[in-house]
Amino acid sequence: MEQKIHQGRNVKRFREMLNIKQEALAYDLGEEWNQKKISMLEQKDVIEDNLLKQISAVLKIPVEAFQNFDEEQAINIISNTFGDNACVGNPNSTFNFNPIEELKRLHEEKIVLFERMLKEKDEMMVRLEKLIGK
C-alpha cells in the first residue's frame, strides 16, 4: 500500500520549523492571502505546482521537499540509523575519529593557508613596487 504525501501538511511542518506564522506566510504570498487561507492550504493533500513554487520561494525550501517529504520514512531512517552507541544524547558514545589527528590536520591546513597568504602578499608588494617605480 503506497502512502500519499500530504503536501499541505509538509508546508505546515516546514513553516513551523522555520518559526514562521501563518499570517507572515500569507503576507509574503501577496494581498489575496490571509491566515485562514493558509490554514485551508495546509489541509490540502495536493497543492498546485505554481503555488508550491511561490511557497518554495518564500520559505527558501525546494519544491521537491514539499512533494516528497514523508515523516514516517524519515522516522524509520532515523530509528534504523541510530543504535545504542549513537552520539546524540548518549554520554557513552563511541567516536570514530581521533581528535589529535583532527587537530594536526587543521594545523597543517592553517600552515598552508598562511604560506599562500604570504606568497600573495609578496606578489602584491612586487606589483606595488613596480607601480611606484614607474
Side-chain angles (χ1 to χ4, degrees):
M1 182 176 114
E2 185 179 320
Q3 183 177 355
K4 287 194 71 157
I5 307 283
H6 194 287
Q7 293 177 355
R9 196 173 301 125
N10 286 343
V11 168
K12 180 179 180 178
R13 277 191 193 104
F14 287 114
R15 177 185 59 75
E16 289 175 343
M17 280 191 258
L18 294 169
N19 201 23
I20 295 174
K21 300 275 186 207
Q22 288 179 331
E23 295 88 358
L25 180 58
Y27 177 82
D28 288 339
L29 287 175
E31 289 182 17
E32 68 275 0
W33 286 91
N34 57 37
Q35 180 273 324
K36 185 174 182 176
K37 200 169 175 183
I38 296 294
S39 180
M40 291 171 49
L41 172 82
E42 291 176 349
Q43 295 173 24
K44 293 174 79 173
D45 285 338
V46 178
I47 299 173
E48 302 80 33
D49 286 340
N50 61 341
L51 183 53
L52 268 182
K53 287 177 186 173
Q54 282 182 286
I55 296 168
S56 169
V58 169
L59 297 180
K60 296 177 178 53
I61 293 176
V63 173
E64 294 79 18
F66 302 117
Q67 295 170 331
N68 300 326
F69 181 75
D70 182 1
E71 185 175 33
E72 287 200 22
Q73 230 177 1
I75 290 171
N76 284 338
I77 290 169
I78 292 168
S79 64
N80 290 332
T81 303
F82 289 103
D84 292 336
N85 290 330
C87 294
V88 178
N90 185 353
N92 301 320
S93 299
T94 305
F95 296 99
N96 294 326
F97 65 91
N98 183 344
I100 302 298
E101 290 299 319
E102 282 294 306
L103 283 173
K104 284 172 53 179
R105 184 185 62 79
L106 289 172
H107 183 69
E108 289 167 0
E109 287 178 8
K110 186 168 73 171
I111 289 172
V112 169
L113 176 65
F114 283 139
E115 288 173 348
R116 191 176 83 225
M117 289 172 63
L118 283 171
K119 182 181 174 194
E120 289 176 3
K121 179 200 67 106
D122 290 342
E123 291 170 356
M124 180 67 77
M125 292 300 293
V126 168
R127 280 188 258 153
L128 287 172
E129 287 173 356
K130 285 181 182 176
L131 283 173
I132 292 172
K134 286 188 176 182

